[in-house]
Amino acid sequence: MTEFEKMTGGEWYDTRDPELRSMSSRAKDLMRLYNSLPAENEGLRNEILRLLLGKCGEHTRVNQPIFVDYGRHISVGSHSLINMNCTLLDTGRITIGHHTLIGPDVKIYTAVHPIKAAERFFTDENGNDAVRTRTAPVVIGDYVWIGGGTVILPGVTIGDGAVIGAGSVVKDSIPAGTLACGNPCIVKKEL
């Protein structure tokens, strides 16, 4: 099993793998190019987005700057907006639905590391220490609104039509059609 297969399968994998480093470097180059383009150059921005992201639906807008790990593990539905300064660390799959609004400065994380310090690193066959990492996907449904400054942790699903208040830390899944906020983010009411 390759390190890429381990990563996409949610197994512990070695982030130093040359194939993974190459994919990440490609994404960083495309991200840097995208972030440097004039905002009014919509045609070229859309072209670069389609090279960077795994899927980008029609009439979707991603404001600059955006930060990703691989890009290719991100799927964004049609008519959605990702506002400026968002970080989508897509070592695992990130799925964003249709007609969904992601506020500025939102952070979506998919990498998981062991809680116990002694388990957080491993020693490879050459005696080098490396970080132990696995992934857990994040799924954001259709017609969701994620308020600015929100942090979404690995393994979270946010149901269709949910609203997440600004500045929330979402560590558990949020049901469809609810308003949730806080740290930790909890459901406040049904919509």
Side-chain angles (χ1 to χ4, degrees):
M1 180 178 275
T2 68
E3 297 304 314
F4 176 75
E5 290 169 334
K6 291 177 189 175
M7 180 178 78
T8 56
E11 303 291 326
W12 297 111
Y13 70 98
D14 188 344
T15 61
R16 303 166 305 159
D17 177 70
E19 177 188 17
L20 296 179
R21 291 269 170 107
S22 176
M23 289 188 318
S24 180
S25 293
R26 177 185 180 274
K28 299 294 187 276
D29 290 341
L30 287 169
M31 178 184 70
R32 188 176 310 105
L33 176 59
Y34 182 79
N35 289 339
S36 71
L37 291 173
E40 66 274 2
N41 194 339
E42 192 174 329
L44 187 52
R45 286 178 58 205
N46 286 336
E47 186 177 321
I48 299 301
L49 267 185
R50 276 154 183 67
L51 292 172
L52 177 62
L53 303 181
K55 178 184 174 226
C56 186
E58 293 297 315
H59 308 292
T60 285
R61 182 172 177 86
V62 178
N63 289 339
Q64 302 148 297
I66 185 165
F67 304 97
V68 302
D69 267 336
Y70 295 93
R72 68 189 293 168
H73 304 129
I74 300 168
S75 172
V76 184
S78 63
H79 301 278
S80 291
L81 167 69
I82 298 175
N83 213 326
M84 68 178 114
N85 209 41
C86 287
T87 301
L88 285 69
L89 298 186
D90 66 310
T91 53
R93 184 149 308 286
I94 296 173
T95 304
I96 299 169
H98 303 287
H99 295 90
T100 289
L101 305 175
I102 308 289
D105 298 306
V106 168
K107 313 300 181 204
I108 302 174
Y109 305 138
T110 61
V112 178
H113 308 290
I115 298 294
K116 293 183 180 179
E119 296 174 3
R120 227 171 279 143
F121 291 85
F122 69 94
T123 303
D124 68 15
E125 62 279 353
N126 298 319
N128 298 312
D129 284 346
V131 177
R132 188 177 308 278
T133 306
R134 67 178 180 80
T135 65
V138 169
V139 177
I140 300 170
D142 298 335
Y143 294 94
V144 173
W145 177 17
I146 308 291
T150 293
V151 175
I152 301 172
L153 297 179
V156 165
T157 295
I158 298 173
D160 293 345
V163 175
I164 307 297
S168 294
V169 176
V170 187
K171 69 179 194 65
D172 297 309
S173 292
I174 303 296
T178 60
L179 169 66
C181 62
N183 180 4
C185 186
I186 59 171
V187 173
K188 299 295 186 176
K189 68 178 183 178
E190 291 187 20
L191 297 174

